[in-house]
Amino acid sequence: MARNELRPIIKLRSTAGTGYTYVTRKNRRNDPDRMTLSKYDPVAGRHVDFREER
């Protein structure tokens, strides 16, 4: 099965301002809005919110 745009690759950028990013996939049908996840930022040394960038 070919990869399509139903599950695009997105970048999650740290809201702490460190510039650290995670790369993941999301399902557009289930999450049409921008995704926000709490993940570990190794530059800040703590868990912060990571927001989807476009």
Side-chain angles (χ1 to χ4, degrees), residues 16-37:
T18 58
Y20 193 78
T21 60
Y22 280 99
V23 178
T24 187
R25 290 184 170 272
K26 77 166 190 175
N27 189 329
R28 277 192 202 203
R29 196 171 290 155
N30 295 338
D31 299 309
D33 300 329
R34 286 193 186 179
M35 185 182 285
T36 303
L37 295 174

Side-chain angles (χ1 to χ4, degrees), residues 1-5 7 25:
M1 179 183 240
R3 297 197 185 240
N4 56 11
E5 289 302 312
R7 293 188 64 85
R25 290 184 170 272

Side-chain angles (χ1 to χ4, degrees), residues 2 6-9 11 16 20-21 24 26 30 33 36-38 41-42 44-47 50 52-54:
L6 185 62
R7 293 188 64 85
I9 297 173
K11 273 187 174 181
Y20 193 78
T21 60
T24 187
K26 77 166 190 175
N30 295 338
D33 300 329
T36 303
L37 295 174
S38 181
D41 187 343
R46 59 191 170 95
H47 279 81
F50 280 74
E52 176 185 345
E53 71 171 17
R54 298 202 176 169

